[in-house]
Amino acid sequence: MRIYAVGDIHGRSDLLESLLAAIDADCKQRPVPRPITLFLGDYIDRGPDSRNVLDLLLQWQRTREAIFLRGNHEIFLPRFLGDPRSLDEWRQYGGLETLLSYGLKPSINPDRHEQIRLAIEFADILPKEHLDFLNSLELLFSCGDFLFVHAGVRPCVPIHEQTEDDLLWIRDDFLTWEGPFERFVVHGHTPVSEPDLRPNRINIDTGAYATGRLTCVVIENAAVTQLASDEIQLDGTFSVPSTRAAPDPARA
């Protein structure tokens, strides 16, 4: 098995298309019985082409084994359809760019009347398979000594007791934790200039929508390397210890 883990895409279909081609090329050059592509969430918002990002992911899913995790941005689109007022919050996270990618023309600060109109129009043009896809996303995925999640985990809390809010939104409590987690964590959510490799985690959100860098790391056995590209490369490989540290209930 080989896992290709992809960081936050945020509407950059151009970068995603190039990266998927690079994954295909790597699989052809270095065949493996079971290649899995794992996406860490935040497919939409901020960038210019969220609609085509979802089309590309659905096309990829039809012919390859893939796992799609939910990011915090994936909660806003379905919510807007049921509650147009939520656009007040969604637009602060790049929601207007997503609506534009579907051909709508929202104003910069839509009032209540416009919010309702946009929600009705959006429901009419949003492909059902896009909404079904967003509603089917997983919160986390475990494989061996690795845990894949969008934002991170609450330190000292067992994986099965983690809350959805932490998995999608956590920052400082997770990022500043220097102790071991139950598993080595592969995550995104907090943009960094290059993959941030720590003894207990790796952050592969390199701010694609703003930087033009979409990162993919390749995980095989206990080695983590970056998919060959023009991006900054990890310094060699990082071998994850096989001994898992159990959480300390007294500190939960």
PDB file of all heavy atoms in Angstrom, residues 169-186:
ATOM      1  N   TRP A 169     -11.385  22.232  13.300  1.00  0.00           N
ATOM      2  CA  TRP A 169     -11.036  23.621  13.583  1.00  0.00           C
ATOM      3  C   TRP A 169      -9.826  23.825  14.492  1.00  0.00           C
ATOM      4  O   TRP A 169      -9.290  24.936  14.554  1.00  0.00           O
ATOM      5  CB  TRP A 169     -12.235  24.326  14.237  1.00  0.00           C
ATOM      6  CG  TRP A 169     -13.397  24.541  13.342  1.00  0.00           C
ATOM      7  CD1 TRP A 169     -14.489  23.736  13.185  1.00  0.00           C
ATOM      8  CD2 TRP A 169     -13.607  25.652  12.452  1.00  0.00           C
ATOM      9  NE1 TRP A 169     -15.356  24.267  12.273  1.00  0.00           N
ATOM     10  CE2 TRP A 169     -14.854  25.442  11.811  1.00  0.00           C
ATOM     11  CE3 TRP A 169     -12.872  26.806  12.165  1.00  0.00           C
ATOM     12  CZ2 TRP A 169     -15.375  26.343  10.877  1.00  0.00           C
ATOM     13  CZ3 TRP A 169     -13.391  27.698  11.236  1.00  0.00           C
ATOM     14  CH2 TRP A 169     -14.622  27.470  10.601  1.00  0.00           C
ATOM     15  N   ILE A 170      -9.387  22.827  15.219  1.00  0.00           N
ATOM     16  CA  ILE A 170      -8.377  23.048  16.253  1.00  0.00           C
ATOM     17  C   ILE A 170      -7.095  23.648  15.666  1.00  0.00           C
ATOM     18  O   ILE A 170      -6.702  23.332  14.541  1.00  0.00           O
ATOM     19  CB  ILE A 170      -8.064  21.735  17.005  1.00  0.00           C
ATOM     20  CG1 ILE A 170      -7.334  22.027  18.320  1.00  0.00           C
ATOM     21  CG2 ILE A 170      -7.268  20.755  16.130  1.00  0.00           C
ATOM     22  CD1 ILE A 170      -7.221  20.829  19.243  1.00  0.00           C
ATOM     23  N   ARG A 171      -6.450  24.519  16.456  1.00  0.00           N
ATOM     24  CA  ARG A 171      -5.169  25.082  16.030  1.00  0.00           C
ATOM     25  C   ARG A 171      -4.162  25.015  17.183  1.00  0.00           C
ATOM     26  O   ARG A 171      -3.419  24.066  17.311  1.00  0.00           O
ATOM     27  CB  ARG A 171      -5.343  26.522  15.538  1.00  0.00           C
ATOM     28  CG  ARG A 171      -6.073  26.658  14.210  1.00  0.00           C
ATOM     29  CD  ARG A 171      -5.854  28.024  13.595  1.00  0.00           C
ATOM     30  NE  ARG A 171      -6.797  28.334  12.541  1.00  0.00           N
ATOM     31  CZ  ARG A 171      -6.638  28.000  11.269  1.00  0.00           C
ATOM     32  NH1 ARG A 171      -5.566  27.335  10.885  1.00  0.00           N
ATOM     33  NH2 ARG A 171      -7.556  28.345  10.360  1.00  0.00           N
ATOM     34  N   ASP A 172      -4.107  26.046  18.007  1.00  0.00           N
ATOM     35  CA  ASP A 172      -2.993  26.208  18.947  1.00  0.00           C
ATOM     36  C   ASP A 172      -2.782  25.027  19.879  1.00  0.00           C
ATOM     37  O   ASP A 172      -1.647  24.579  20.073  1.00  0.00           O
ATOM     38  CB  ASP A 172      -3.188  27.484  19.774  1.00  0.00           C
ATOM     39  CG  ASP A 172      -2.984  28.742  18.949  1.00  0.00           C
ATOM     40  OD1 ASP A 172      -2.483  28.623  17.809  1.00  0.00           O
ATOM     41  OD2 ASP A 172      -3.328  29.837  19.437  1.00  0.00           O
ATOM     42  N   ASP A 173      -3.851  24.519  20.493  1.00  0.00           N
ATOM     43  CA  ASP A 173      -3.684  23.419  21.447  1.00  0.00           C
ATOM     44  C   ASP A 173      -3.037  22.208  20.791  1.00  0.00           C
ATOM     45  O   ASP A 173      -2.281  21.468  21.436  1.00  0.00           O
ATOM     46  CB  ASP A 173      -5.027  23.023  22.056  1.00  0.00           C
ATOM     47  CG  ASP A 173      -5.564  24.072  23.012  1.00  0.00           C
ATOM     48  OD1 ASP A 173      -4.799  24.998  23.360  1.00  0.00           O
ATOM     49  OD2 ASP A 173      -6.742  23.989  23.397  1.00  0.00           O
ATOM     50  N   PHE A 174      -3.327  22.006  19.526  1.00  0.00           N
ATOM     51  CA  PHE A 174      -2.747  20.897  18.766  1.00  0.00           C
ATOM     52  C   PHE A 174      -1.351  21.252  18.252  1.00  0.00           C
ATOM     53  O   PHE A 174      -0.393  20.477  18.400  1.00  0.00           O
ATOM     54  CB  PHE A 174      -3.671  20.553  17.603  1.00  0.00           C
ATOM     55  CG  PHE A 174      -3.063  19.648  16.566  1.00  0.00           C
ATOM     56  CD1 PHE A 174      -2.767  18.324  16.849  1.00  0.00           C
ATOM     57  CD2 PHE A 174      -2.808  20.120  15.286  1.00  0.00           C
ATOM     58  CE1 PHE A 174      -2.215  17.484  15.887  1.00  0.00           C
ATOM     59  CE2 PHE A 174      -2.265  19.298  14.316  1.00  0.00           C
ATOM     60  CZ  PHE A 174      -1.962  17.979  14.613  1.00  0.00           C
ATOM     61  N   LEU A 175      -1.222  22.418  17.656  1.00  0.00           N
ATOM     62  CA  LEU A 175       0.031  22.784  16.989  1.00  0.00           C
ATOM     63  C   LEU A 175       1.188  22.976  17.958  1.00  0.00           C
ATOM     64  O   LEU A 175       2.350  22.754  17.603  1.00  0.00           O
ATOM     65  CB  LEU A 175      -0.172  24.064  16.166  1.00  0.00           C
ATOM     66  CG  LEU A 175      -1.193  23.969  15.025  1.00  0.00           C
ATOM     67  CD1 LEU A 175      -1.417  25.340  14.405  1.00  0.00           C
ATOM     68  CD2 LEU A 175      -0.749  22.962  13.965  1.00  0.00           C
ATOM     69  N   THR A 176       0.893  23.399  19.172  1.00  0.00           N
ATOM     70  CA  THR A 176       1.965  23.648  20.142  1.00  0.00           C
ATOM     71  C   THR A 176       2.290  22.429  20.991  1.00  0.00           C
ATOM     72  O   THR A 176       3.229  22.478  21.792  1.00  0.00           O
ATOM     73  CB  THR A 176       1.578  24.815  21.074  1.00  0.00           C
ATOM     74  OG1 THR A 176       0.367  24.497  21.765  1.00  0.00           O
ATOM     75  CG2 THR A 176       1.389  26.101  20.287  1.00  0.00           C
ATOM     76  N   TRP A 177       1.541  21.335  20.816  1.00  0.00           N
ATOM     77  CA  TRP A 177       1.764  20.125  21.613  1.00  0.00           C
ATOM     78  C   TRP A 177       3.003  19.398  21.098  1.00  0.00           C
ATOM     79  O   TRP A 177       3.099  19.062  19.930  1.00  0.00           O
ATOM     80  CB  TRP A 177       0.538  19.227  21.534  1.00  0.00           C
ATOM     81  CG  TRP A 177       0.645  17.970  22.350  1.00  0.00           C
ATOM     82  CD1 TRP A 177       0.925  16.715  21.910  1.00  0.00           C
ATOM     83  CD2 TRP A 177       0.464  17.853  23.759  1.00  0.00           C
ATOM     84  NE1 TRP A 177       0.931  15.818  22.945  1.00  0.00           N
ATOM     85  CE2 TRP A 177       0.656  16.494  24.101  1.00  0.00           C
ATOM     86  CE3 TRP A 177       0.158  18.770  24.769  1.00  0.00           C
ATOM     87  CZ2 TRP A 177       0.544  16.034  25.415  1.00  0.00           C
ATOM     88  CZ3 TRP A 177       0.043  18.309  26.063  1.00  0.00           C
ATOM     89  CH2 TRP A 177       0.241  16.957  26.380  1.00  0.00           C
ATOM     90  N   GLU A 178       3.962  19.160  21.981  1.00  0.00           N
ATOM     91  CA  GLU A 178       5.213  18.521  21.575  1.00  0.00           C
ATOM     92  C   GLU A 178       5.285  17.044  21.948  1.00  0.00           C
ATOM     93  O   GLU A 178       6.218  16.344  21.539  1.00  0.00           O
ATOM     94  CB  GLU A 178       6.402  19.271  22.187  1.00  0.00           C
ATOM     95  CG  GLU A 178       6.519  20.715  21.699  1.00  0.00           C
ATOM     96  CD  GLU A 178       7.710  21.434  22.277  1.00  0.00           C
ATOM     97  OE1 GLU A 178       8.386  20.853  23.170  1.00  0.00           O
ATOM     98  OE2 GLU A 178       7.976  22.568  21.852  1.00  0.00           O
ATOM     99  N   GLY A 179       4.326  16.578  22.715  1.00  0.00           N
ATOM    100  CA  GLY A 179       4.315  15.169  23.095  1.00  0.00           C
ATOM    101  C   GLY A 179       3.747  14.303  21.987  1.00  0.00           C
ATOM    102  O   GLY A 179       3.260  14.794  20.963  1.00  0.00           O
ATOM    103  N   PRO A 180       3.799  12.986  22.162  1.00  0.00           N
ATOM    104  CA  PRO A 180       3.273  12.080  21.144  1.00  0.00           C
ATOM    105  C   PRO A 180       1.747  12.067  21.136  1.00  0.00           C
ATOM    106  O   PRO A 180       1.100  12.354  22.139  1.00  0.00           O
ATOM    107  CB  PRO A 180       3.826  10.725  21.564  1.00  0.00           C
ATOM    108  CG  PRO A 180       3.997  10.838  23.054  1.00  0.00           C
ATOM    109  CD  PRO A 180       4.398  12.265  23.315  1.00  0.00           C
ATOM    110  N   PHE A 181       1.200  11.760  19.983  1.00  0.00           N
ATOM    111  CA  PHE A 181      -0.218  11.469  19.861  1.00  0.00           C
ATOM    112  C   PHE A 181      -0.379   9.958  19.749  1.00  0.00           C
ATOM    113  O   PHE A 181       0.611   9.225  19.671  1.00  0.00           O
ATOM    114  CB  PHE A 181      -0.807  12.166  18.628  1.00  0.00           C
ATOM    115  CG  PHE A 181      -0.728  13.672  18.678  1.00  0.00           C
ATOM    116  CD1 PHE A 181       0.133  14.363  17.839  1.00  0.00           C
ATOM    117  CD2 PHE A 181      -1.515  14.399  19.557  1.00  0.00           C
ATOM    118  CE1 PHE A 181       0.217  15.746  17.876  1.00  0.00           C
ATOM    119  CE2 PHE A 181      -1.444  15.787  19.614  1.00  0.00           C
ATOM    120  CZ  PHE A 181      -0.576  16.464  18.769  1.00  0.00           C
ATOM    121  N   GLU A 182      -1.616   9.507  19.712  1.00  0.00           N
ATOM    122  CA  GLU A 182      -1.866   8.070  19.561  1.00  0.00           C
ATOM    123  C   GLU A 182      -1.221   7.529  18.292  1.00  0.00           C
ATOM    124  O   GLU A 182      -0.720   6.415  18.254  1.00  0.00           O
ATOM    125  CB  GLU A 182      -3.377   7.812  19.515  1.00  0.00           C
ATOM    126  CG  GLU A 182      -3.894   7.010  20.686  1.00  0.00           C
ATOM    127  CD  GLU A 182      -5.389   6.769  20.581  1.00  0.00           C
ATOM    128  OE1 GLU A 182      -6.152   7.729  20.737  1.00  0.00           O
ATOM    129  OE2 GLU A 182      -5.769   5.608  20.334  1.00  0.00           O
ATOM    130  N   ARG A 183      -1.270   8.336  17.247  1.00  0.00           N
ATOM    131  CA  ARG A 183      -0.642   8.023  15.965  1.00  0.00           C
ATOM    132  C   ARG A 183       0.008   9.289  15.416  1.00  0.00           C
ATOM    133  O   ARG A 183      -0.322  10.394  15.837  1.00  0.00           O
ATOM    134  CB  ARG A 183      -1.682   7.492  14.964  1.00  0.00           C
ATOM    135  CG  ARG A 183      -2.213   6.096  15.302  1.00  0.00           C
ATOM    136  CD  ARG A 183      -3.322   5.707  14.340  1.00  0.00           C
ATOM    137  NE  ARG A 183      -3.713   4.312  14.511  1.00  0.00           N
ATOM    138  CZ  ARG A 183      -4.572   3.880  15.412  1.00  0.00           C
ATOM    139  NH1 ARG A 183      -5.129   4.741  16.263  1.00  0.00           N
ATOM    140  NH2 ARG A 183      -4.880   2.591  15.492  1.00  0.00           N
ATOM    141  N   PHE A 184       0.920   9.096  14.470  1.00  0.00           N
ATOM    142  CA  PHE A 184       1.529  10.233  13.794  1.00  0.00           C
ATOM    143  C   PHE A 184       0.446  10.903  12.944  1.00  0.00           C
ATOM    144  O   PHE A 184      -0.236  10.248  12.159  1.00  0.00           O
ATOM    145  CB  PHE A 184       2.679   9.747  12.911  1.00  0.00           C
ATOM    146  CG  PHE A 184       3.428  10.850  12.218  1.00  0.00           C
ATOM    147  CD1 PHE A 184       4.439  11.534  12.866  1.00  0.00           C
ATOM    148  CD2 PHE A 184       3.116  11.189  10.913  1.00  0.00           C
ATOM    149  CE1 PHE A 184       5.132  12.550  12.217  1.00  0.00           C
ATOM    150  CE2 PHE A 184       3.794  12.192  10.257  1.00  0.00           C
ATOM    151  CZ  PHE A 184       4.804  12.880  10.911  1.00  0.00           C
ATOM    152  N   VAL A 185       0.279  12.219  13.109  1.00  0.00           N
ATOM    153  CA  VAL A 185      -0.848  12.927  12.501  1.00  0.00           C
ATOM    154  C   VAL A 185      -0.417  13.630  11.215  1.00  0.00           C
ATOM    155  O   VAL A 185       0.552  14.388  11.196  1.00  0.00           O
ATOM    156  CB  VAL A 185      -1.444  13.954  13.482  1.00  0.00           C
ATOM    157  CG1 VAL A 185      -2.636  14.666  12.839  1.00  0.00           C
ATOM    158  CG2 VAL A 185      -1.882  13.263  14.782  1.00  0.00           C
ATOM    159  N   VAL A 186      -1.169  13.372  10.154  1.00  0.00           N
ATOM    160  CA  VAL A 186      -1.000  14.071   8.875  1.00  0.00           C
ATOM    161  C   VAL A 186      -2.201  15.002   8.728  1.00  0.00           C
ATOM    162  O   VAL A 186      -3.349  14.541   8.735  1.00  0.00           O
ATOM    163  CB  VAL A 186      -0.932  13.082   7.694  1.00  0.00           C
ATOM    164  CG1 VAL A 186      -0.710  13.831   6.385  1.00  0.00           C
ATOM    165  CG2 VAL A 186       0.166  12.048   7.924  1.00  0.00           C
TER     166      VAL A 186
END
